[in-house]
Amino acid sequence: MNRSQATEVPVGLDRVGGRIRNLVIAVFALAVTIVCWSLSSPPLSTQDENWHIANIWCARGPDEGHCIERNFATATAKYNYAPPMCAHRNALQPARCATPSDISTIGPLFSPDGNYPSTYRELMHRFISSDGALSILRMKLFNGAIFVLIIALLLYGAPLKVARAAVTALAVTLIPFSIWLVDSINPSGWGISGVFGMWASVSALVHSRFGKSSEETQSRSQQAALIGVFLLS
């Protein structure tokens, strides 16, 4: 046996190794994009963020250091964080960011009776610290990490055809609107991540069950990854 025959890599293993390498590169690139988007998007730069700040800061009612007052009669909340607002300014005002003294720390609540689903708000409330901007950054990175995890599991577990379709759909729709919500404190970001993950994982599971080719078999870890995406979504 010559040296070339001894070191020859089976075609199947070479294909798997190439796919894993591409997966790592794609997930790393997506993670870097999410982090950069988080760092470049100041507080109040996404849709209805003043609502979300008020509801997250007062998710558990008045407490020391976070929420000053939560009034369901007027559907307002008063909290102790004044974001340095640089968006939604009057076009006639000077081009500067508002200072904390210019900003009201009273925001609107979603529901005057307090019955708006609270799981998301209470989870985000755990990221609040004495630094409001850093707290929002943590929330954004956490929500972005959920999205990256869904994509990573999906690309690992899905058949190649489904993975390509998912990446194509993601590439067309992610910038700018989807990532704007996925990487934010808006709960609609969870909706986008969940719908995408649910659709893609179900499609992959169906394809792997009924459309499997002789050249592409699925391991138990890949099936577990798709089930994980489905449950996470």
Side-chain angles (χ1 to χ4, degrees):
M1 181 182 296
N2 58 37
R3 182 175 299 178
S4 62
Q5 291 176 325
T7 59
E8 184 177 356
V9 179
V11 176
L13 291 178
D14 186 58
R15 184 185 298 117
V16 171
R19 179 171 180 178
I20 292 178
R21 182 174 60 252
N22 292 336
L23 167 64
V24 171
I25 294 173
V27 171
F28 178 76
L30 179 60
V32 170
T33 301
I34 290 290
V35 171
C36 292
W37 201 280
S38 297
L39 294 173
S40 62
S41 302
L44 295 181
S45 63
T46 56
Q47 185 177 11
D48 298 330
E49 195 160 323
N50 59 325
W51 288 61
H52 303 304
I53 290 175
N55 284 268
I56 291 171
W57 254 251
C58 291
R60 299 177 182 176
D63 60 357
E64 184 177 355
H66 298 146
C67 180
I68 300 172
E69 180 184 46
R70 184 173 64 176
N71 191 331
F72 290 123
T74 60
T76 58
K78 186 175 183 179
Y79 46 94
N80 67 346
Y81 170 51
M85 184 171 63
C86 300
H88 309 297
R89 290 182 292 102
N90 190 318
L92 300 178
Q93 293 178 349
R96 66 174 180 83
C97 293
T99 61
S101 60
D102 298 330
I103 304 170
S104 173
T105 55
I106 299 178
L109 294 175
F110 281 111
S111 174
D113 55 11
N115 290 329
Y116 192 83
S118 60
T119 301
Y120 175 84
R121 291 176 293 155
E122 291 182 357
L123 178 59
M124 293 297 105
H125 186 83
R126 296 177 179 272
F127 292 95
I128 298 177
S129 66
S130 57
D131 189 327
L134 184 59
S135 302
I136 292 180
L137 179 60
R138 290 195 193 102
M139 299 174 201
K140 290 181 176 182
L141 292 176
F142 177 77
N143 291 334
I146 292 177
F147 182 69
V148 172
L149 177 60
I150 288 175
I151 300 303
L153 292 175
L154 176 65
L155 294 182
Y156 171 72
L160 189 57
K161 289 182 179 180
V162 178
R164 286 174 176 171
V167 169
T168 301
L170 188 65
V172 171
T173 61
L174 185 61
I175 305 294
F177 190 73
S178 293
I179 194 174
W180 187 56
L181 290 175
V182 165
D183 187 28
S184 73
I185 65 171
N186 192 321
S188 296
W190 276 18
I192 293 174
S193 299
V195 168
F196 181 84
M198 182 76 70
W199 165 80
S201 61
V202 170
S203 178
L205 287 169
V206 170
H207 186 277
S208 63
R209 176 65 178 84
F210 299 104
K212 188 192 310 179
S213 66
S214 59
E215 298 180 355
E216 186 176 7
T217 58
Q218 208 175 28
S219 66
R220 290 185 177 180
S221 63
Q222 289 177 305
Q223 292 177 349
L226 292 177
I227 294 174
V229 172
F230 179 83
L231 295 177
L232 186 60
S233 300

